[in-house]
Amino acid sequence: MRRFLDIALGCIPFLLLFAAWQLLSVYGGFPKKLVPELGQIVSTFARLAMEGILWNAAVSTLYRLLLGFMLSAVIGVVIGILMGRHKAIEDALLPLISFVYPIPGIAYAPLFVLWFGLGDLPAILLIAFASTFAVIMNTWKGVKSVKPVWVKSAEIMGARNVDIFWRIVLPGALPFILSGLRLGLASAWRILVAVEMLMSVKVGLGWMIFGSQTFLNTDVMLATIALIGLIGVVLEKQVFEQIERRTVVRWGMVRG
Amino acid sequence: MSASNKTAYAWSTLLRGIAGLVCALLLWEVFARSGLYSKALTPPLWTVAIRLKDMLADGAIFMHTGVTILRVIVGLIVSFAIAVPMGMLMGTSRTVERMFSPLLSVLMPIPSLAWVPLFVLWLGIGNSSTVLVVIYASVFTLTYNTWTGARAINQVWTKSAFVMGANSRQLLWNVMLPGTMPYVISGLRIAFGRAWIAVIGGELLASPDWGLGKIIFDAREFLETESMLAALVIIGLIGIAIEKLFLRRLEMATIDRWGMAQGASN
């Protein structure tokens, strides 16, 4: 009963929003092209979904996200660990990274287009570049947070360097690394759509929105945005909360 | 002994930091002059520096920068005015919380920049579209943080205030709001980070007449890589300046002074 009430309450703002939209569309006097009726948006979504256009776009967007993110995860974790373990590397890289980190990744988009042309390659590289800093910074903080006592005790007990790294430093830093990966993926996701618009990739959700602008296909744009929202929720709830639950929460490093 | 050790330590850190920067710049310079890539695409540092100087001397850059910053400020103010009351309501009333948290969790993960082409169709190219993107980028995080902060307020505080005879207005102004402040301010920092991305992206996609994003966009049309790099340097400097000089100060002046840093987290 309580759960039902929760759902019912949660629906109210959506219903109000939809009702307001429908009123605006029908009686607002705006061109139907710009403010299409709800029914039209839904039927466009259904049509695009049936024809497979929406899925194709989603798959190629997710493919870019995954590839770019994996690249940044590997590079970011390696650099972060090196910085955490070696003072000289930390000192040398930190000022550089602190300057580049706050520049929005999307600002590099035109530069990457000049360097690498249009299409998939610059998009994936830019996604990797933009999300790698969050991974570096968090991994670095994580390695620094490993208590020296743990490392020293292991040394005294005769652990080899390799063992110390795999059994103490890495697990100890993992909660931070995971939250860095999460931040990195989130920041990659936040700019990916815009990157696709600027890089004129062949297929992709961002490109679908941008391409529809020329033809005033507002219904296509809104249908695509709805799918983007859906993917975002799934990424957040299913991917990352699951990873956290299976690893650091299970190992008792953070509370669930 | 420790004092002199400490300064020696700091010196080596500084020297290594400078060495890292110099190495990166040298690498660029060698690459730029090697001719592997066209000089138009990888201009030597000297050209970038001259362009930066020209831009500053010309003065138009200040207008572009001012317009971009103004968009962020206006957007953040509107966001703040919406998000803080909304977050407080959600944090204090279970009904409001249940009503709006699903909406929040659906709208929050949609990248603000996905809306730009739509905003451009509705509002045209220019200030309204870019400001609206800034609002979209910042309002949900700020609401979320305020909401979390209001929920995290120590029940003992509100109860003691109540027992001591505070009315609901005093409760709001003297207990709830200050108690939520650390979260609001850390939310403001995150919101600024997102707004900064949104404004540059919005200017690139909506191509208004003014703005730092506009410089980069134009530079691409005319293949002026040095202007692009100069604009990136300016964007980086402004981002750091706002973060360190303004937001960090704000945090120090409020949270640290009230001794509430413990409660602040993102």
Side-chain angles (χ1 to χ4, degrees):
Chain A
M1 186 60 212
R2 173 115 188 218
R3 190 152 174 79
F4 177 75
L5 196 72
D6 269 3
I7 295 172
L9 272 173
C11 284
I12 294 174
F14 288 99
L15 292 176
L16 285 177
L17 208 65
F18 291 152
W21 177 269
Q22 188 68 4
L23 282 176
L24 201 70
S25 168
V26 178
Y27 302 107
F30 297 107
K32 277 270 154 51
K33 258 315 208 183
L34 292 183
V35 189
E37 285 182 44
L38 272 183
Q40 162 134 36
I41 300 172
V42 173
S43 72
T44 303
F45 188 94
R47 181 172 58 82
L48 292 173
M50 301 278 252
E51 289 171 1
I53 297 174
L54 217 46
W55 309 127
N56 273 342
V59 165
S60 55
T61 295
L62 285 175
Y63 158 81
R64 279 179 207 113
L65 182 71
L66 201 68
L67 223 60
F69 173 66
M70 271 169 23
L71 211 60
S72 82
V74 172
I75 297 172
V77 169
V78 169
I79 294 182
I81 287 176
L82 284 176
M83 280 172 64
R85 298 291 287 161
H86 303 283
K87 183 82 175 95
I89 298 180
E90 175 186 333
D91 286 344
L93 288 184
L94 205 56
L96 196 63
I97 291 174
S98 329
F99 182 78
V100 183
Y101 190 23
I103 302 178
I106 191 76
Y108 295 96
L111 198 63
F112 274 56
V113 169
L114 284 187
W115 286 346
F116 306 108
L118 291 168
D120 267 347
L121 178 72
I124 292 168
L125 287 179
L126 182 56
I127 290 301
F129 180 77
S131 53
T132 199
F133 293 102
V135 184
I136 294 178
M137 293 306 260
N138 278 276
T139 308
W140 166 62
K141 278 182 205 153
V143 175
K144 297 288 262 191
S145 81
V146 174
K147 290 206 177 81
V149 179
W150 299 348
V151 179
K152 287 219 174 96
S153 346
E155 267 170 9
I156 290 167
M157 288 188 267
R160 289 172 305 151
N161 268 333
V162 191
D163 288 333
I164 289 177
F165 176 76
W166 285 106
R167 304 212 168 175
I168 293 162
V169 175
L170 201 60
L174 208 59
F176 285 84
I177 297 181
L178 282 181
S179 82
L181 291 176
R182 188 181 184 156
L183 284 174
L185 184 66
S187 63
W189 174 244
R190 224 170 286 127
I191 66 161
L192 175 56
V193 178
V195 169
E196 287 184 347
M197 294 181 193
L198 289 166
M199 308 257 176
S200 22
V201 294
K202 286 205 186 69
V203 211
L205 292 171
W207 184 242
M208 227 163 110
I209 297 178
F210 203 60
S212 313
Q213 189 192 23
T214 328
F215 306 107
L216 297 183
N217 287 332
T218 318
D219 49 344
V220 177
M221 296 164 108
L222 285 166
T224 316
I225 289 179
L227 183 63
I228 289 176
L230 216 63
I231 295 175
V233 173
V234 172
L235 274 182
E236 176 68 25
K237 297 274 170 209
Q238 295 302 316
V239 182
F240 266 105
E241 286 182 8
Q242 289 293 331
I243 293 179
E244 259 184 359
R245 207 167 303 149
R246 297 235 169 120
T247 54
V248 285
V249 175
R250 219 181 84 195
W251 302 337
M253 284 171 178
V254 289
R255 280 176 298 124
Chain B
M1 150 232 155
S2 73
S4 70
N5 253 356
K6 229 178 200 161
T7 44
Y9 198 59
W11 270 111
S12 80
T13 302
L14 185 69
L15 284 178
R16 280 172 181 162
I18 292 171
L21 285 175
V22 169
C23 270
L25 293 177
L26 261 178
L27 216 64
W28 172 268
E29 192 69 13
V30 168
F31 185 67
R33 291 187 185 274
S34 69
L36 275 172
Y37 247 44
S38 148
K39 271 219 182 114
L41 294 183
T42 53
L45 289 172
W46 188 240
T47 345
V48 179
I50 288 177
R51 176 52 55 97
L52 195 59
K53 197 204 82 192
D54 286 349
M55 281 165 114
L56 291 174
D58 177 20
I61 186 73
F62 295 109
M63 185 69 184
H64 285 294
T65 311
V67 168
T68 298
I69 292 178
L70 202 65
R71 282 179 185 137
V72 174
I73 291 174
V74 171
L76 283 179
I77 288 174
V78 175
S79 276
F80 196 84
I82 299 171
V84 172
M86 193 67 217
M88 290 301 284
L89 274 175
M90 284 175 72
T92 43
S93 151
R94 277 287 290 154
T95 318
V96 179
E97 179 175 22
R98 282 191 232 157
M99 256 176 88
F100 286 98
S101 64
L103 187 70
L104 195 64
S105 58
V106 167
L107 290 183
M108 198 149 75
I110 301 179
S112 53
L113 291 171
W115 292 96
V116 175
L118 211 59
F119 290 167
V120 168
L121 278 189
W122 287 339
L123 303 169
I125 284 164
N127 279 328
S128 358
S129 303
T130 31
V131 170
L132 199 57
V133 185
V134 171
I135 296 173
Y136 193 95
S138 53
V139 74
F140 300 116
T141 358
L142 208 49
T143 309
Y144 185 83
N145 264 52
T146 314
W147 171 32
T148 318
R151 268 193 319 183
I153 283 186
N154 197 336
Q155 291 293 315
V156 175
W157 299 348
T158 47
K159 281 198 183 122
S160 2
F162 194 68
V163 168
M164 288 188 271
N167 57 33
S168 51
R169 188 193 217 155
Q170 285 172 320
L171 201 65
L172 174 69
W173 285 103
N174 297 339
V175 182
M176 296 296 290
L177 274 178
T180 316
M181 221 43 187
Y183 287 84
V184 174
I185 289 177
S186 77
L188 203 59
R189 282 178 76 170
I190 303 172
F192 168 74
R194 304 233 169 126
W196 193 231
I197 295 172
V199 79
I200 301 291
E203 286 171 354
L204 283 175
L205 289 166
S207 54
D209 292 336
W210 295 92
L212 289 168
K214 170 74 172 166
I215 297 184
I216 298 182
F217 194 79
D218 281 352
R220 185 184 130 186
E221 304 280 288
F222 304 115
L223 212 70
E224 285 175 339
T225 318
E226 62 272 18
S227 304
M228 236 181 233
L229 291 169
L232 280 173
V233 171
I234 293 173
I235 290 175
L237 287 176
I238 292 171
I240 292 174
I242 294 181
E243 164 70 27
K244 300 267 175 215
L245 296 182
F246 178 65
L247 292 172
R248 184 73 202 110
R249 286 268 168 82
L250 190 69
E251 209 169 53
M252 282 198 292
T254 54
I255 302 170
D256 292 1
R257 219 185 82 200
W258 301 338
M260 290 199 289
Q262 217 67 55
S265 68
N266 48 26

